């Protein structure tokens, strides 16, 4: 069997692409390496752009069953290299990613996409006529593929990622739990550190380029939060280790090739600090739109995708330039 499109990765970009393609009448296969619902370490904050995209592409508001307390997110607080605080107000929602992603995937399935979990993609190559994908040792073929595999990315290398370490703790902390907090000071991490609240958990995390330095920076961050923000930890309930796309100046994106499009984090689309859901939703939709409108002409399809994605990419780049004014790590002058 030859599919019209195979989408790899059942996160927000993959689910959006698969749903849109299936609604356009294209025979679509959505592959996911993990068993569904699959867990992903993530801030789990849907900003206003994400909420509007969900309503537009999925025809529904985010359901209560995928949210966590406090449901209302009011924005982000950044602490710059020099310790000064910058508050950015914006409406949003606090969600659990496994529940949210699974809900999107079920909607893609309802639209007619074939969803197959536990499907490990071993290799991908394209010819003039098709894309061949080795899935658990079996070759699946399609006219197009959409890479939505996140920071892992088909063909990505370790230098394009940072390692995230995150803990879920019971206890108490002073700052308003309706915000997501990001700390950019170089003494606290090699990339960034953060905290937010999800249900009864205080979530603390650091990102490093070198895994050997995680314990050092995490310990410094916890002591900083205890000293500056009244952090009291009663019990550590869970530890996450993950990878995240390393975004560096000049914040370029990679939309893929003629038959293998990239969307979401695979394309390098990631907003500060780790907010990738809004760009994932939009890029998944735009990839599907470009393919469905230009199915017979792969060159026109890729050009259309790049054109549709231009505003989303420009938004991301503006956000990182703002962050570059707060931290030398993300400054164009440091590239």
């Amino acid at each position: 069997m030859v599919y019209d499109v195979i989408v790899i990765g059942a996160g927000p970009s993959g689910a959006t692409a698969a749903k849109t393609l299936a609604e356009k009448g294209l025979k679509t296969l959505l592959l996911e390496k993990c068993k569904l619902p699959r867990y992903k370490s993530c801030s789990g904050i849907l900003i206003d752009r994400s909420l509007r995209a969900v309503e537009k592409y999925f025809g529904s508001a985010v359901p209560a069953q995928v949210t966590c307390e406090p449901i209302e997110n009011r924005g982000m607080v950044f602490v710059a290299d020099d310790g000064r605080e910058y508050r950015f107000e914006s409406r949003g929602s606090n969600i659990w990613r496994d529940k949210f992603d699974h809900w999107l995937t079920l909607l893609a399935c309802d639209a007619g996409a074939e969803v197959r979990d536990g499907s490990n993609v071993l290799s991908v190559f394209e010819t003039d006529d098709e894309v061949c994908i080795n899935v658990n040792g079996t070759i699946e073929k399609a006219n197009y593929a959409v890479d939505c595999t996140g920071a892992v990315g088909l063909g990505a290398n370790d230098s394009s990622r940072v390692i995230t370490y995150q803990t879920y703790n019971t206890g108490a902390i002073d700052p308003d739990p309706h915000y997501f907090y990001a700390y950019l000071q170089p003494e606290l991490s090699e990339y960034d550190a953060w905290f937010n609240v999800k249900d009864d958990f205080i979530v603390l995390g650091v990102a490093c380029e070198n895994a050997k330095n995680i314990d050092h920076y995490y310990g410094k961050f916890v002591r900083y939060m205890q000293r500056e923000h009244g952090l009291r930890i009663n019990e550590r309930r869970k530890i996450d280790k993950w990878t995240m796309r390393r975004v560096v100046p000049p914040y370029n994106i990679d939309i893929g090739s003629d038959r293998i499009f990239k969307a979401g984090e695979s394309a390098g689309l990631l907003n500060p600090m780790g907010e990738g859901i809004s760009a994932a939703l939009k890029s998944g939709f735009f990839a599907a739109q470009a393919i469905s409108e230009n199915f017979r002409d792969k060159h026109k399809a890729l050009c259309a995708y790049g054109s549709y994605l231009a505003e989303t990419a420009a938004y991301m780049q503006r956000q990182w330039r703002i962050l570059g004014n707060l931290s030398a790590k993300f400054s164009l002058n440091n590239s």
Side-chain angles (χ1 to χ4, degrees), residues 78 80-81 86-88 184 249 251 272-273 314-328 330-332:
F78 292 98
D81 281 358
Y86 297 84
R87 187 174 297 258
F88 297 87
L184 309 178
Y251 325 115
M273 296 296 305
Y315 170 81
M316 182 198 83
Q317 290 160 350
R318 288 196 302 272
Q319 294 295 303
W320 284 104
R321 283 195 289 270
I322 291 171
L323 195 69
N325 293 327
L326 306 182
S327 174
F330 305 104
S331 172
L332 283 167

Side-chain angles (χ1 to χ4, degrees), residues 68-69 96 168-172 197-203 237:
C68 54
E69 294 290 340
W96 289 112
Y168 290 76
N169 310 275
T170 60
V197 174
K198 304 186 83 65
D199 284 340
D200 296 325
F201 298 110
I202 299 167
V203 184
R237 293 283 185 86

Side-chain angles (χ1 to χ4, degrees), residues 6-280:
I6 294 177
V7 181
I8 308 169
S13 60
T16 307
K19 177 181 182 292
T20 306
L21 290 161
E23 287 176 335
K24 299 289 187 181
L26 296 179
K27 188 168 185 59
T28 305
L29 173 62
L30 175 59
L31 299 172
E32 170 55 44
K33 179 179 180 179
C34 301
K35 287 292 183 181
L36 295 172
R38 65 104 167 94
Y39 176 76
K40 179 179 179 179
S41 178
C42 177
S43 66
I45 300 298
L46 298 181
I47 63 173
D48 185 59
R49 287 171 69 93
S50 300
L51 295 173
R52 287 187 279 115
V54 168
E55 292 175 1
K56 180 177 180 179
Y57 305 143
F58 289 87
S60 172
V62 175
Q65 64 264 29
V66 310
T67 63
C68 54
E69 294 290 340
I71 296 174
E72 179 192 9
N73 177 263
R74 297 173 184 165
M76 300 183 72
V77 177
F78 292 98
V79 181
D81 281 358
D82 60 8
R84 284 187 289 181
E85 185 178 287
Y86 297 84
R87 187 174 297 258
F88 297 87
E89 303 283 345
S90 176
R91 80 170 184 125
S93 290
N94 197 6
I95 58 154
W96 289 112
R97 276 294 301 274
D98 55 344
K99 295 178 181 180
F100 175 72
D101 289 9
H102 194 219
W103 173 66
L104 297 181
T105 302
L106 291 175
L107 293 178
C109 186
D110 290 344
E114 178 184 342
V115 179
R116 198 186 301 172
D117 62 0
S119 299
N120 188 23
V121 172
L122 303 176
S123 63
V124 178
F125 64 93
E126 61 180 309
T127 69
D128 287 340
D129 301 318
E130 62 189 6
V131 181
C132 299
I133 302 175
N134 185 338
V135 186
N136 295 335
T138 299
I139 301 298
E140 300 287 0
K141 297 181 179 180
N143 287 279
Y144 292 90
V146 184
D147 174 10
C148 302
T149 55
V152 176
L154 300 177
N157 56 63
D158 289 340
S159 65
S160 65
R161 310 170 195 158
V162 293
I163 301 160
T164 66
Y165 179 88
Q166 181 170 265
T167 64
Y168 290 76
N169 310 275
T170 60
I173 197 165
D174 294 338
D176 186 342
H178 292 89
Y179 292 84
F180 182 89
Y181 298 81
Y183 299 85
L184 309 178
Q185 301 100 306
E187 65 269 21
L188 299 181
S189 76
E190 292 178 340
Y191 200 71
D192 71 311
W194 61 90
F195 113 82
N196 67 329
V197 174
K198 304 186 83 65
D199 284 340
D200 296 325
F201 298 110
I202 299 167
V203 184
L204 302 163
V206 296
C208 292
E209 297 176 3
N210 190 333
K212 295 180 180 179
N213 296 332
I214 285 175
D215 287 344
H216 168 75
Y217 283 109
Y218 178 78
K220 292 192 71 171
F221 181 52
V222 167
R223 291 189 293 274
Y224 171 86
M225 297 301 288
Q226 290 170 333
R227 183 177 67 250
E228 300 294 330
H229 298 296
L231 171 65
R232 286 88 71 196
I233 295 177
N234 295 332
E235 183 181 3
R236 182 183 298 175
R237 293 283 185 86
K238 182 180 177 182
I239 296 174
D240 280 344
K241 294 180 181 179
W242 209 261
T243 57
M244 181 175 69
R245 174 71 64 166
R246 184 176 185 269
V247 179
V248 295
Y251 325 115
N252 291 328
I253 65 168
D254 176 9
I255 64 173
S257 60
D258 287 337
R259 292 194 183 274
I260 305 175
F261 290 15
K262 296 183 179 183
E265 212 173 334
S266 298
L269 290 163
L270 189 66
N271 301 319
M273 296 296 305
E275 191 290 305
I277 296 175
S278 61

